[in-house]
Structures are given as C-alpha cells and as structure tokens.
Amino acid sequence: MVQKKKVALVTGASRGIGQAIAKELAMDESLTVIGTATTEDGASSISHYFAKWGLDGDGIKMDVSDPSSVEEGVKQVTSAYGPPLILVNNAGITRDGLLLRMKEADWNDVIDTNLGSIYRVSKAVLKGMMKERWGRIVNVSSVVGQMGNAGQVNYCASKAGIEGLSRSLAKEISGRGITVNCVAPGFIDTSMTSELTDDVKESMLSTIPMKRLGEPSEIASVVGFLASKQASYVTGETIHVNGGMFMG
C-alpha cells in the first residue's frame, strides 16, 4: 500500500526565501508542497517552477491578509490534496519609515500581513493537524525582531510578535504532537538586497562576522529540519541564521 503524501503549505513562495523553502520541502518525496502568492501570475510562477524542477507541488492564489481568502485557500488545498500538516508562514511585507513620519496605514498593513497572517493561517490548518495528532508550524521571523532596526518599527514589532506568538502556541498544542518554531534570518541575498547600493551593502557586511550575505537555501535547510520527523522534540524555539550578526 502506497502511503499518502503529507501536504506542506508555504506562504509567500513565489520568490526569494519562500521559493527556496518550497523547493527544499518538495525534494522530500513524502511531501506535496503548495505555495501561495497574492496574484494569479505569482501562483502560476510557483506551479511553473515545480514543474521545471520535476517536483510534486503547485501554486495557489491566497492573500494572507484577507480572512476569507485564507479560509478559501486552505479549503482548496484540503479538498485537492489533503489537510496541510506542515505550515511555513513566510509571507511578509515592509513599509519602512521613521515612526515620527509613519502613516497609520503603513503600521497596520505590516502588522496585519506579517503578524496577523500567522494567526489566520495557523488557525485555519490547526483542525487538520489536531485530528492527525501531528503537525509542524514554522514561522519565518527576522534578526531585527530581537535587535531592532531604525526606520522599521512596524516590521520589527511584527517579527518580535511572531516569536512571542510561536512560543505561546507551542505551549498550547505541543501535547498533540504539533511543534511550533521560528527561523530568524539575517541579511539574505535576495532580489531585495541586490537592489541596494554598494555603500549600503558594505555597511551591512561590516555588521556580519562571516562577512557575507546568507543564501536563501541556508534558511530553507533549517526550515526543512524543523519540518521533519527528526525535529519532533524541538518546539517553541527560534533558530537564528545570520552569520553571527546577532547571537541570542
């Protein structure tokens, strides 16, 4: 009898760290990986890269800041593939600016997308995990959630909140075989950092003992471990992957 594959759901999977995480998980032949994007084009790009890699996965449109979109997206995945038993909450945005000049909309958008989405998507998948008495929730936070960063009070607050939420949720549900952990990346080589000026990059590298940016695959490998059976006794933790920039 062929064992049914577990379903992994990765939010914000169209590029960068999210794409690397989706690929890492899909290389496990026991998993079907579904990645989310906020647009149909983004969802199509996810489906395309899974097909190109020859891996078992698909993309769907889901807006993590919209409760009805989250509910519909999880129903869609469950109906087509089965209940997600692995969830990686990766989707996030930035709206940088000094607090003195920050618009309330920029505060609300970042908190709602980065932190509110963890509440919404985790809650939507928990029923299936509780029924199976097995699950993995991995939340992508950030080094600045503990360090702080001028000009990013909204982003830093959202990431610090993710870590507090994760520890609390771990205490609520770990007795059901469901673990909840965070991975906190430092500065990672993505399309976002590639657009920075050389001066900004040089300043950034001066804060990193390893003197280089991290690779998305280095974040993905840690997520892959936390999502695995081997991590069954790890919960409520934040693993920092930042080249020594912050040592918590």
Side-chain angles (χ1 to χ4, degrees), residues 32-196:
T32 296
V33 180
I34 310 301
T36 79
T38 56
T39 66
E40 291 291 356
D41 285 346
S44 295
S45 74
I46 295 169
S47 299
H48 174 74
Y49 69 61
F50 277 128
K52 181 178 72 173
W53 295 331
L55 298 174
D56 188 4
D58 201 1
I60 64 166
K61 178 184 176 182
M62 190 172 86
D63 181 354
V64 297
S65 67
D66 180 351
S68 61
S69 179
V70 169
E71 184 178 354
E72 182 57 37
V74 172
K75 282 183 179 178
Q76 179 185 339
V77 172
T78 302
S79 176
Y81 302 98
L85 297 182
I86 296 171
L87 169 64
V88 182
N89 284 305
N90 169 72
I93 61 170
T94 57
R95 296 284 188 273
D96 295 349
L98 297 175
L99 179 64
L100 190 64
R101 300 188 184 94
M102 184 175 289
K103 296 177 181 177
E104 188 157 348
D106 290 339
W107 169 268
N108 289 336
D109 286 349
V110 169
I111 296 297
D112 195 42
T113 300
N114 296 5
L115 179 57
S117 67
I118 309 294
Y119 156 77
R120 278 185 287 273
V121 185
S122 299
K123 185 177 180 181
V125 304
L126 270 179
K127 185 178 292 185
M129 292 181 180
M130 298 281 273
K131 185 176 180 181
E132 290 293 322
R133 298 188 69 85
W134 193 95
R136 299 284 184 268
I137 298 175
V138 184
N139 299 321
V140 179
S141 58
S142 170
V143 63
V144 300
Q146 294 196 27
M147 284 182 59
N149 199 31
Q152 286 193 311
V153 293
N154 49 2
Y155 185 77
C156 296
S158 71
K159 295 301 184 177
I162 286 171
E163 295 183 12
L165 182 156
S166 299
R167 288 189 290 271
S168 298
L169 183 57
K171 290 191 173 185
E172 291 182 8
I173 63 175
S174 292
R176 293 297 188 98
I178 306 166
T179 65
V180 188
N181 293 287
C182 293
V183 176
F187 291 137
I188 306 301
D189 189 7
T190 64
S191 58
M192 188 181 300
T193 53
S194 68
E195 295 172 0
L196 299 174

